[in-house]
């Protein structure tokens, strides 16, 4: 942002004739009813308090009172609380004797837009990690779905961005939101009976094998029902006193695992007289079996690892433990218990309960919090965390105390009161002149909206200092009208000097065609004067003799000077000019010297008719 220096209005210029402007500021015409004069002042903390008191005394709504309180607390104005609306009442109280044509140049604090080098952070694209983004890269993350010290986001987030961002370009920036815990998780997968999706308990003799189907491949013995352990399916190849060859399958119904991520198989069983021949009691799963015939002849079966084996070979039922089926999530599957026996070894296998469950995962450790960090793409190195910027997170607000109530700063919890200490904790090894951009939430009590702001802090002699806080000194002019009322006057008044005339000369030189020839042909050999408009930077004036401007284009020197200021000067010097400032038409009063064989001085007044970029202007009055 530019600090614009304003000068006195055209009215005083007219009254002063050819007197120096400095003298005008000192003149005061006094009479019994007051005086016409000019003053300059810079608002102090006491002045803001006085302005707030005046506004509070005139408040008719709670919103009016809130605005007044804001001025007192923050000591600045902004685009919502306009200086043009509050300073006139203060001037009327401070200078009650000043009358018509009096002026005041007031310097005050203005909170405007953030600098461009900070808006790149507040306007960055955002991406919040989804559950599948954690699951894609690690089995632990597949369960926890949050990062931790051993599972650093700086390692995994770049991989996520590689998957979700198509054709990134060098310098692209994304604000990534993810979950992070300050301690690694300890995972308890739960046990049988946690959260069954499918379940068979074999509890009733009348139901026999319940939803399961027995297939006999070899031998005369088959799966049957027994009352042990509150009911179970049982298989043995032993018929006293002999053992027999057998192959028998006990097959589940079809289980649909669609939408189940952490799905697992559990069952309880007892094994006895097996002589540790564990290949005789195995569990299988298939995704292509259709249930129409024996699993020995149809479908592809994959053996599952059973962690819970009853090694003591007794009639005591034990849990199989968690048998992870996450690899089959989204599939339709069958589960089968395969029993084998020989004439030498014929154990007994009892299956007491079968469940397909979503495990009751208990994650022991710190509760994960939401974090946001910026990641930048480098065409050579890929995605990486941006170390020069820190986004204030919910845990940071909580640690600060009051800001943690709503996870934002406000006029009552000012960011500058908290951020230096936060940065000390986050960057304990900071060296002299280290810079960090801090991005945070700010609640605006004026429009009741929480916005994202950014500030640049520099480490200087052991302290973090704000480089930008969006508050700058701004000077505006206020005048007293013929009704003896102070009003804001955005008129910008100035006198053309050498550099200003040079702008006009350079514009002429850069034109390809002026009156049928290159503009450079109008410029003198020194490059300081031109005879298209008559502008001369060396003499700091317009030469208004008819031979010193292009008479085939301009009927008079007044037309030539008007064109020079409207076309070659004002659009270049004020490319962002607006038609109105705080509801008042924007005017430019331009004073300049002339030469016609004798020295002269004139003034023209111009109005902005089209806002920038590429603003347009028109002559309102003059030349005087």
């Amino acid at each position: 942002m530019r600090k614009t220096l304003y000068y006195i209005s055209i009215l005083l210029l007219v009254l002063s004739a050819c007197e120096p402007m400095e003298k005008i500021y000192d003149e005061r015409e006094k009479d019994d009813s007051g005086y016409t004069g000019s003053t300059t002042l810079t608002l102090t903390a006491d002045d803001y308090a006085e302005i707030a008191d005046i506004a509070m005394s005139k408040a008719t709504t709670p919103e009016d009172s809130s605005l007044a309180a804001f001025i007192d607390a923050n000591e600045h104005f902004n685009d919502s609380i306009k200086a043009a609306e509050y300073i006139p009442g203060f001037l009327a109280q401070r200078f009650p004797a000043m009358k018509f044509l009096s002026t005041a140049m007031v310097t005050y604090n203005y909170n405007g837009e953030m600098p461009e080098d900070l808006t790149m952070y507040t306007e960055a694209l955002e991406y919040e990690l989804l559950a599948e983004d954690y699951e894609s890269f690690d089995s632990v993350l597949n369960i926890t779905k949050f990062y931790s010290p051993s599972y650093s986001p700086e390692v995994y987030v770049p991989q996520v961005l590689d998957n979700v961002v198509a054709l990134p370009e060098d310098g692209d920036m994304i604000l990534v939101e993810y979950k992070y815990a300050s301690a690694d998780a300890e995972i308890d997968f739960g046990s049988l009976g946690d959260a069954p999706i499918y379940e068979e308990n074999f509890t009733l003799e009348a139901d026999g094998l319940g939803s399961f189907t027995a297939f006999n491949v070899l031998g005369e013995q088959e799966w049957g029902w027994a009352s042990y352990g509150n009911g179970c399916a049982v298989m043995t190849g032993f018929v006293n006193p002999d053992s027999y060859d057998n192959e028998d399958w006990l097959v589940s119904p079809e289980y649909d695992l669609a939408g189940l991520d952490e799905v697992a198989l559990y069952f309880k069983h007892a094994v006895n007289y097996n002589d540790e021949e564990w290949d005789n009691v195995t569990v299988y799963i298939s995704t292509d079996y259709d249930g129409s015939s024996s699993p020995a002849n149809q479908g592809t079966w994959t053996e599952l690892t059973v962690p819970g084996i009853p090694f003591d070979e007794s009639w005591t039922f034990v849990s199989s433990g968690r048998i992870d089926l996450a690899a089959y999530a989204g599939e339709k599957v069958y589960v089968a218990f395969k029993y084998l026996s020989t004439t030498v070894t014929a154990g007994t296998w009892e299956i007491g309960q079968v469940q397909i469950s979503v495990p009751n995962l208990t994650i022991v450790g710190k509760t994960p919090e939401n974090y946001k960090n910026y990641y930048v793409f480098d065409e050579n190195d890929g995605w990486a965390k941006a170390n020069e910027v820190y986004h204030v997170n919910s845990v940071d607000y909580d640690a600060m105390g009051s800001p943690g109530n709503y996870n934002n700063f406000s006029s009552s919890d000012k960011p500058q009161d908290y951020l230096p200490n936060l940065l000390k904790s986050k960057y304990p090894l900071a060296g002299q002149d280290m810079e960090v951009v801090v991005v945070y939430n700010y609640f605006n009590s004026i429009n009741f909206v929480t916005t994202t702001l950014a500030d640049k802090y520099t480490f200087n002699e052991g302290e973090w200092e704000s480089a930008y806080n969006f508050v700058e000194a701004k000077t505006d002019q206020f005048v007293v009208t013929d009704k003896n009322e102070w009003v804001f006057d955005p008129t910008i008044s100035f006198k053309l000097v050498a550099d200003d005339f040079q702008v006009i000369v350079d514009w002429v030189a850069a034109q390809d065609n002026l009156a049928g020839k290159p503009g450079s042909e109008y410029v003198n050999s020194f490059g300081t004067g031109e005879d298209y408009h008559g502008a001369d930077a060396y003499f700091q004036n317009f030469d208004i003799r008819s031979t010193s401007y292009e008479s085939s284009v301009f009927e008079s020197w007044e037309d030539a000077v008007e064109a020079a200021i409207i076309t070659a000067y004002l659009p270049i010097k004020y490319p962002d000019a607006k038609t109105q400032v705080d509801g008042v038409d924007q005017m430019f009063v331009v004073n300049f010297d002339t030469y016609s064989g004798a020295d002269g001085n004139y003034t023209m007044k111009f109005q902005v008719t089209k806002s920038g970029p590429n603003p347009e202007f028109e002559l309102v009055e003059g030349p005087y």
Side-chain angles (χ1 to χ4, degrees):
M1 299 182 186
R2 302 181 185 88
K3 177 180 177 182
T4 306
L5 188 61
Y6 298 99
Y7 297 85
I8 63 174
S9 70
I10 179 62
L11 295 171
L12 287 179
L13 287 170
V14 173
L15 290 172
S16 66
C18 297
E19 292 293 322
M21 297 179 70
E22 291 81 359
K23 184 177 180 180
I24 295 174
Y25 279 87
D26 295 331
E27 290 182 350
R28 295 183 175 181
E29 300 176 6
K30 298 184 177 180
D31 58 30
D32 293 338
S33 61
Y35 65 92
T36 297
S38 60
T39 187
T40 61
L41 73 157
T42 299
L43 298 184
T44 65
D46 290 341
D47 294 332
Y48 287 107
E50 185 176 343
I51 291 171
D53 288 342
I54 295 171
M56 190 69 74
S57 68
K58 298 179 179 179
T60 58
T61 67
E63 182 180 5
D64 293 339
S65 300
S66 176
L67 299 180
F70 181 92
I71 297 172
D72 189 23
N74 294 277
E75 298 178 4
H76 68 243
F77 299 100
N78 55 36
D79 290 338
S80 299
I81 306 177
K82 301 179 186 296
E85 297 177 6
Y86 289 90
I87 290 180
F90 165 74
L91 293 174
Q93 184 165 300
R94 177 65 61 87
F95 304 107
M98 280 191 171
K99 65 176 186 179
F100 180 45
L101 299 182
S102 292
T103 64
M105 302 298 294
V106 182
T107 300
Y108 58 89
N109 293 330
Y110 169 74
N111 188 333
E113 297 178 356
M114 286 185 297
E116 292 182 3
D117 61 341
L118 297 181
T119 56
M120 63 181 290
Y121 297 103
T122 60
E123 297 176 1
L125 294 175
E126 297 189 31
Y127 180 75
E128 182 178 357
L129 263 64
L130 306 175
E132 53 263 34
D133 293 325
Y134 298 95
E135 298 165 1
S136 304
F137 303 104
D138 187 272
S139 59
V140 171
L141 295 178
N142 185 53
I143 296 170
T144 63
K145 297 179 179 61
F146 62 80
Y147 299 125
S148 61
S150 296
Y151 299 89
S152 171
E154 295 183 33
V155 173
Y156 292 97
V157 169
Q159 300 177 61
V160 173
L161 294 177
D162 284 337
N163 285 346
V164 301
V165 181
L167 303 176
E169 298 181 357
D170 191 53
D172 281 355
M173 177 183 293
I174 294 181
L175 178 59
V176 182
E177 182 175 357
Y178 55 84
K179 293 185 179 298
Y180 179 87
S182 59
D184 290 333
E186 298 175 12
I187 304 171
D188 178 2
F189 287 97
S191 59
L192 186 68
D194 282 336
I197 303 300
Y198 301 105
E199 185 172 28
E200 177 57 61
N201 293 314
F202 306 112
T203 55
L204 300 175
E205 182 178 6
D207 292 337
L209 299 178
S211 58
F212 278 66
T213 303
F215 290 92
N216 175 257
V217 178
L218 176 65
E220 295 184 1
Q221 288 71 46
E222 297 181 356
W223 284 94
W225 181 87
S227 61
Y228 311 125
N230 296 321
C232 64
V234 60
M235 176 62 201
T236 181
F238 177 77
V239 180
N240 191 30
D242 299 314
S243 297
Y244 297 92
D245 292 325
N246 278 275
E247 179 182 341
D248 288 83
W249 294 68
L250 183 65
V251 183
S252 74
E254 182 183 71
Y255 295 138
D256 186 353
L257 306 186
L260 304 178
D261 294 330
E262 301 304 325
V263 65
L265 168 67
Y266 296 87
F267 62 92
K268 68 178 183 178
H269 61 152
V271 178
N272 208 353
Y273 301 111
N274 192 47
D275 295 336
E276 297 188 2
E277 294 291 340
W278 300 112
D279 288 341
N280 290 350
V281 286
T282 52
V283 184
Y284 289 83
I285 190 169
S286 176
T287 59
D288 59 0
Y289 178 67
D290 63 14
S292 63
S293 60
S294 171
N297 303 320
Q298 197 263 323
T300 302
W301 293 88
T302 301
E303 184 176 354
L304 297 172
T305 299
V306 180
I309 296 295
F311 290 105
D312 60 352
E313 292 200 37
S314 69
W315 301 117
T316 301
F317 282 90
V318 300
S319 172
S320 66
R322 180 179 185 272
I323 302 173
D324 187 9
L325 300 184
Y328 300 93
E331 302 276 3
K332 293 180 178 181
V333 301
Y334 286 83
V335 173
F337 297 89
K338 180 182 178 181
Y339 173 88
L340 297 174
S341 65
T342 68
T343 56
V344 177
T345 301
T348 299
W349 195 13
E350 297 172 350
I351 308 296
Q353 185 182 40
V354 180
Q355 287 184 350
I356 299 292
S357 297
V358 177
N360 182 21
L361 299 178
T362 301
I363 301 175
V364 181
K366 291 286 186 179
T367 302
E369 301 277 359
N370 288 331
Y371 282 79
K372 289 184 177 182
N373 270 309
Y374 291 89
Y375 282 77
V376 178
F377 182 78
D378 182 275
E379 59 185 359
N380 296 317
D381 301 324
W383 290 99
K385 180 183 174 183
N387 293 317
E388 75 281 4
V389 57
Y390 184 80
H391 194 289
V392 182
N393 294 291
S394 59
V395 292
D396 300 318
Y397 291 112
D398 291 341
M400 295 174 197
S402 180
N405 293 333
Y406 302 101
N407 287 340
N408 60 243
F409 298 112
S410 63
S411 60
S412 57
D413 291 312
K414 299 178 182 178
Q416 57 267 33
D417 293 339
Y418 295 91
L419 291 180
N421 286 334
L422 172 67
L423 291 174
K424 283 183 178 181
S425 67
K426 296 300 179 181
Y427 300 92
L429 302 179
Q432 180 68 21
D433 297 328
M434 179 180 177
E435 292 184 341
V436 176
V437 172
V438 185
V439 183
Y440 57 88
N441 297 327
Y442 186 88
F443 176 73
N444 189 329
S445 59
I446 305 308
N447 52 19
F448 299 99
V449 172
T450 300
T451 58
T452 301
L453 298 179
D455 198 350
K456 181 177 288 186
Y457 275 78
T458 303
F459 193 71
N460 180 35
E461 297 182 355
E463 298 293 334
W464 286 98
E465 299 175 350
S466 172
Y468 302 111
N469 60 3
F470 325 130
V471 177
E472 62 177 353
K474 185 176 182 181
T475 302
D476 278 342
Q477 177 174 267
F478 295 81
V479 301
V480 179
T481 68
D482 56 357
K483 297 181 180 180
N484 283 328
E485 296 176 344
W486 284 97
V487 296
F488 166 65
D489 179 11
T491 299
I492 299 177
S493 304
F494 54 89
K495 182 177 182 179
L496 297 181
V497 296
D499 288 344
D500 300 320
F501 285 104
Q502 190 63 54
V503 169
I504 299 172
V505 174
D506 292 342
W507 180 91
V508 171
Q511 304 308 303
D512 295 329
N513 186 344
L514 290 176
K517 63 181 181 180
S520 58
E521 293 187 15
Y522 286 101
V523 179
N524 63 26
S525 59
F526 300 104
T528 58
E530 51 89 9
D531 54 8
Y532 183 75
H533 304 105
D536 194 297
Y538 180 78
F539 292 106
Q540 301 185 53
N541 63 21
F542 285 104
D543 190 331
I544 61 176
R545 293 174 294 182
S546 60
T547 56
S548 298
Y549 60 88
E550 183 55 75
S551 58
S552 66
V553 176
F554 306 111
E555 294 183 1
S556 65
W557 71 263
E558 291 91 342
D559 293 337
V561 171
E562 176 186 345
I565 296 174
I566 284 179
T567 305
Y569 180 72
L570 288 176
I572 295 173
K573 294 293 288 185
Y574 299 95
D576 299 320
K578 305 299 181 184
T579 56
Q580 289 192 332
V581 178
D582 290 335
V584 181
D585 291 341
Q586 178 67 72
M587 302 292 179
F588 289 85
V589 175
V590 184
N591 181 263
F592 53 89
D593 291 332
T594 61
Y595 180 75
S596 61
D599 294 332
N601 178 271
Y602 291 86
T603 297
M604 287 181 167
K605 183 177 183 180
F606 299 88
Q607 181 175 353
V608 183
T609 57
K610 176 182 174 295
S611 295
N614 304 314
E616 295 177 3
F617 305 82
E618 71 175 11
L619 179 66
V620 177
E621 297 176 353
Y624 297 109

